Amino acid sequence: MCDVDELVERVDDQDRVLGVVVSRRQAIREGWLHRVAVTLCRDERGRFLLHRRSEQLSRFPGLYEVVVGGAVDVGESYEEAAARELAEELGIRVRPRLLFTFLNRSGLSPHWLGVHEAVVPDAVAADPDEVAWHGWLTGPELRSALLEWRFTPDSHEAFSQYLAFRTAHS
């Protein structure tokens, strides 16, 4: 859950673990690099899952997201964190596939972002403490929504990087 002050490992500008454990709140406040894992969820028809964050969340309340995710816990891999977050936030138990990582400087503070992809069922059991609304959009619908709706900075950056990755690997 986003609002719990998780413990994270500091990493360097090459995404190497430094062996220093800090609170996520402190990492954000100090601008220390740490890891975050997110997943772009698609259904069997290729539509994208997006959601609106709960108003009770301290970070980006009420904004839309095209990714599901959160901080990578101490000793956890990007893939493990992505799978855990999908289970916690959407009640989905799947193995997301890590596509790429990049140093994301948008959002509250710089962090390494591990971007995953997963095919998930149409029916999800979203945690109402995390997710106020969710729905499915086609690629063109999502591109329009990104221009018109208020999304988190990570959503814009992750989706832009995802499209570039897909173009380079198709």
Side-chain angles (χ1 to χ4, degrees):
M1 178 184 266
C2 272
D3 283 7
V4 173
D5 196 18
E6 305 122 318
L7 294 179
V8 297
E9 293 173 300
R10 286 186 60 190
V11 294
D12 66 13
D13 61 359
Q14 300 297 307
D15 197 17
R16 293 180 296 230
V17 175
L18 298 173
V20 178
V21 175
V22 298
S23 74
R24 185 173 184 197
R25 186 172 291 128
Q26 184 179 17
I28 290 169
R29 185 176 59 247
E30 300 294 336
W32 293 334
L33 293 177
H34 58 288
R35 292 175 170 169
V36 174
V38 297
T39 303
L40 280 121
C41 298
R42 306 200 57 186
D43 67 5
E44 293 289 339
R45 297 187 298 183
R47 296 178 303 169
F48 293 92
L49 177 70
L50 74 141
H51 68 278
R52 187 169 47 81
R53 295 172 59 84
S54 170
E55 294 291 343
Q56 294 96 347
L57 296 175
S58 64
R59 296 180 188 115
F60 306 113
L63 268 58
Y64 289 91
E65 284 195 294
V66 69
V67 292
V68 174
V72 176
D73 287 344
V74 175
E76 202 174 35
S77 70
Y78 281 112
E79 293 91 343
E80 290 166 337
R84 175 180 48 76
E85 291 288 341
L86 285 171
E88 289 174 3
E89 294 185 23
L90 300 179
I92 297 172
R93 302 218 181 274
V94 298
R95 184 181 187 106
R97 183 171 62 99
L98 179 63
L99 300 177
F100 56 90
T101 61
F102 71 97
L103 182 53
N104 185 8
R105 297 197 182 277
S106 67
L108 296 175
S109 72
H111 54 276
W112 278 94
L113 197 60
V115 179
H116 302 73
E117 184 176 50
V119 175
V120 302
D122 284 350
V124 299
D127 177 352
D129 290 336
E130 298 263 353
V131 177
W133 171 90
H134 67 278
W136 295 94
L137 296 181
T138 65
E141 290 169 338
L142 178 55
R143 284 183 191 87
S144 291
L146 282 163
L147 296 173
E148 298 168 17
W149 303 357
R150 292 186 56 230
F151 279 81
T152 64
D154 278 0
S155 284
H156 282 285
E157 192 62 31
F159 193 67
S160 172
Q161 294 277 342
Y162 172 80
L163 291 177
F165 175 85
R166 280 284 165 229
T167 299
H169 292 88
S170 57

